Amino acid sequence: MKRTKRERQTALKESINDNPFVTDEELSAEFNVSVQTIRLDRMELSIPELRERIKHVAVKTFEDEVKSLPIDEVIGEIIDIELDEKAISIFDVKQEHVFQRNQIARGHHLFAQANSLAVAIMNEELALTVKSELQFLRPVKAGQRIVAKATVIDRQPEKNRAFVKVVSTVDQVTVFIGTFEMYRMTEQSEGEVG
C-alpha cells in the first residue's frame, strides 16, 4: 500500500532523526520513491542534505573537550562526545583504505577508528590501551561510511582502568565490535604504569 505524501514526509522526518547519516539513495530505497522525490520532500520539510546535516551535528567543536590526544590524531571525525560516557565518530572508507584486489577495507582502519575513539572518550591527559578484544563481523568496502559508537561500560578507579565497548556499523549493520581496556593516568597514578 502506497503512503500519502504527508505520511511519507512524517516517516522521512523520523527516519532522518533516527539516523542523520542516511543518504538520499538509502531513503529512496526505504520509501520506494525516486531520489528526486526524497530531495523534494527534504526541501519542503527544510531538512538539509547529508553533508549539511553532518556539519550541523559536528558544529560543536571537540578540540577543547578531548584531553587524551590531539583531535587531529583521532581516526575518523568525532561528531559527538561525552567524556567518560560515550562518543560517536564517522569514517568514510576511500580507495586508499582498501585492498586493491577486492576493494575491502583493511582491518587496521576499523581498529584505528575504534581505538582512537576509546582513547578520546577518556577524561584524562593520558590514556593508553592495555588490551583489546576485536570481532570483525563483515567486510567494509570503498565508498561506505563507518559509524563507530563508543560507550564506557565499566570503571575500576582503584586500578586506573576503564573499559570501553565500540560498535561500528555500516548502514546500521554491525561490522566490527571492540572492547578496550584502557589505562588512565591520573595525577596520583603517575609512575604506576601496569
Side-chain angles (χ1 to χ4, degrees):
M1 183 173 133
K2 193 170 180 178
R3 297 178 180 181
T4 67
K5 180 177 179 179
R6 180 175 284 168
E7 290 171 337
R8 182 183 66 242
Q9 287 184 345
T10 301
L12 175 70
K13 206 174 206 176
E14 287 174 13
S15 189
I16 291 174
N17 281 339
D18 290 345
N19 178 13
F21 311 114
V22 67
T23 65
D24 288 345
E25 290 76 12
E26 292 165 339
L27 291 166
S28 168
E30 180 181 338
F31 293 104
N32 202 24
V33 295
S34 70
V35 172
Q36 188 59 34
T37 299
I38 293 296
R39 290 181 179 149
L40 289 169
D41 284 349
R42 273 195 309 93
M43 286 175 62
E44 285 182 30
L45 296 167
S46 299
I47 298 172
E49 67 179 30
L50 176 63
R51 188 183 344 239
E52 291 304 314
R53 291 195 309 266
I54 291 170
K55 281 183 195 170
H56 178 72
V57 171
V59 162
K60 295 197 282 180
T61 177
F62 301 111
E63 293 265 346
D64 299 330
E65 288 193 49
V66 176
K67 295 180 177 183
S68 54
L69 75 167
I71 198 79
D72 59 344
E73 290 183 15
V74 175
I75 306 301
E77 181 182 344
I78 293 179
I79 58 168
D80 190 25
I81 191 164
E82 288 178 45
L83 293 178
D84 283 340
E85 294 296 328
K86 59 186 179 176
I88 301 173
S89 76
I90 56 174
F91 179 73
D92 290 318
V93 179
K94 298 184 176 132
Q95 279 303 128
E96 63 263 24
H97 304 127
V98 300
F99 293 107
Q100 295 308 306
R101 185 171 45 97
N102 55 21
Q103 298 298 295
I104 293 175
R106 298 169 189 266
H108 64 269
H109 295 295
L110 281 80
F111 171 80
Q113 178 189 21
N115 187 61
S116 65
L117 195 57
V119 171
I121 202 173
M122 295 291 101
N123 191 13
E124 300 293 345
E125 293 295 322
L126 178 64
L128 303 170
T129 304
V130 175
K131 181 170 44 173
S132 62
E133 282 185 32
L134 312 174
Q135 296 175 34
F136 292 89
L137 303 172
R138 289 178 179 242
V140 177
K141 301 227 172 208
Q144 293 184 313
R145 167 169 285 156
I146 304 169
V147 178
K149 295 181 180 179
T151 308
V152 176
I153 56 172
D154 191 22
R155 295 171 181 82
Q156 295 178 358
E158 68 284 353
K159 294 182 179 178
N160 299 316
R161 297 288 199 267
F163 295 82
V164 179
K165 182 175 184 177
V166 180
V167 177
S168 299
T169 61
V170 171
D171 298 327
Q172 299 181 338
V173 175
T174 303
V175 296
F176 172 91
I177 298 173
T179 305
F180 297 86
E181 180 180 340
M182 306 303 296
Y183 173 78
R184 311 166 60 115
M185 182 171 286
T186 60
E187 288 180 25
Q188 301 85 14
S189 68
E190 282 187 38
E192 296 177 12
V193 177

